[in-house]
Amino acid sequence: MNVDFIFKIAAIGIIVAVLSLVLSRSGREEQAMMTTLAGLIVVLLMLVEKISDLFNTIETLFGF
């Protein structure tokens, strides 16, 4: 895992936080919650892909 992946997650977090704050301040709490939820789902999907790569690497390493 390289540093670019961590920077992508951090960038998504910053963008989602700013959007959520702006939406919350303008009185759109529902959209702020959906924005936060969408950001969380995107990051989790990115992590699932990396975890899948990890399991594939372990499987080839031990020859299961």
Side-chain angles (χ1 to χ4, degrees), residues 6-64:
I6 296 170
F7 285 148
K8 285 180 186 178
I9 292 176
I12 291 171
I14 291 170
I15 291 170
V16 167
V18 169
L19 285 174
S20 178
L21 184 63
V22 168
L23 288 170
S24 179
R25 293 282 170 111
S26 67
R28 298 182 177 183
E29 285 80 18
E30 293 86 14
Q31 286 88 0
M33 178 65 76
M34 288 298 183
T35 303
T36 304
L37 187 61
L40 180 65
I41 290 171
V42 168
V43 170
L44 286 176
L45 287 175
M46 291 170 60
L47 285 175
V48 164
E49 182 181 344
K50 290 294 183 180
I51 290 172
S52 173
D53 292 342
L54 173 66
F55 283 137
N56 287 335
T57 303
I58 290 173
E59 184 178 4
T60 58
L61 180 66
F62 291 113
F64 287 122

